Amino acid sequence: DPIAAAEAGVAWERILFYWSELQPNGPDDWNPYHVPDEWLSMAAGAGREVVGLLKHTPQWATDGSAGNGVPRGLDLPVDDPNNLWAAFVRRTVERYAGRINHWIIWNEPDIAPGTYGCEWDGTVEQYYRLLKVAYLAAHQANPDVTIHLAGLTYWHDKMYLRRFLAVATQDPEGAAHGYYFDVVTLHIYFQTETVYDLIGIARAALTEYGLRKAIWLNETNAPPNSDPQWLMPAS
């Protein structure tokens, strides 16, 4: 609700960019109606900065399942036209450069395949490659871009961030590029009182690997004290 957001003084807005909707039929396709320019104009007019989230593989771009599948050609150089993910990221970031300078790469890869809510069928190593390709392609299109890790749920895989950092820090090319991300993203649900603790756990994981990065909390909730599944004491 852009009017209510403006009245509340909201300063940031996250918009989801589905690859499968932007390019439903092939790499030469582009559907401008998936994210109407009006949304960006309204955000800019109200002083909100937009953060874009890139996800959801189209069926034509993967040998896996639509939506969750690892993009075909991901291991190719970022300038190879057969690296389909690189081409998509470059085109999207270039199109919105100046209007969107923050991009989140995928969503909740720590939810295992076969589990409700899963959005990524690849391994941690494949997610790191997805991130690395996105970082390099995005910077070709917009040198001022900021790259955010996919939001992590913590509860689905408490060690995912550490396992990711272990993979990232083994890349001999990684240190020169900040391991291809600028921001750690958290989605903290179920127990509101754990927000402080889980941000601390993420910070500790970064420190363990000698990294200092911004941490953003992009999704959370406040359970009502009348919720029978999670009774909260009356204050």
Side-chain angles (χ1 to χ4, degrees), residues 55-199:
K55 67 172 185 174
H56 214 264
T57 322
Q59 186 62 78
W60 60 263
T62 179
D63 295 321
S65 61
N68 299 0
V70 177
R72 193 179 303 115
L74 191 62
D75 290 328
L76 297 172
V78 294
D79 293 323
D80 190 316
N82 291 315
N83 189 327
L84 304 175
W85 171 245
F88 166 68
V89 171
R90 188 182 300 107
R91 181 172 180 179
T92 307
V93 172
E94 182 178 32
R95 179 182 178 91
Y96 295 101
R99 292 187 292 169
I100 303 177
N101 294 323
H102 289 258
W103 292 98
I104 304 163
I105 307 306
W106 224 262
N107 190 59
E108 299 182 349
D110 55 340
I111 301 179
T115 304
Y116 176 79
C118 172
E119 295 195 48
W120 176 246
D121 288 342
T123 63
V124 176
E125 290 80 7
Q126 287 170 317
Y127 175 71
Y128 175 70
R129 178 63 187 173
L130 185 87
L131 177 77
K132 179 175 181 176
V133 168
Y135 181 98
L136 294 172
H139 277 81
Q140 289 176 341
N142 179 5
D144 296 324
V145 77
T146 297
I147 297 297
H148 301 236
L149 285 186
L152 300 179
T153 69
Y154 181 75
W155 298 112
H156 281 91
D157 185 342
K158 297 179 181 180
M159 297 301 294
Y160 192 93
L161 179 57
R162 278 187 164 81
R163 292 193 293 116
F164 166 82
L165 293 173
V167 171
T169 53
Q170 289 172 4
D171 182 354
E173 301 174 346
H177 300 276
Y179 298 104
Y180 304 102
F181 72 99
D182 305 298
V183 178
V184 170
T185 310
L186 302 180
H187 295 173
I188 301 176
Y189 285 94
F190 310 125
Q191 300 177 30
T192 312
E193 67 273 21
T194 63
V195 167
Y196 178 86
D197 293 337
L198 297 188
I199 290 175

Side-chain angles (χ1 to χ4, degrees), residues 17 21-24 29-40 91 95-96 99:
F17 289 73
E21 295 291 334
L22 288 166
Q23 295 185 317
D29 206 6
W30 191 266
N31 171 23
Y33 301 106
H34 174 56
V35 177
D37 278 351
E38 180 186 10
W39 294 359
L40 304 184
R91 181 172 180 179
R95 179 182 178 91
Y96 295 101
R99 292 187 292 169

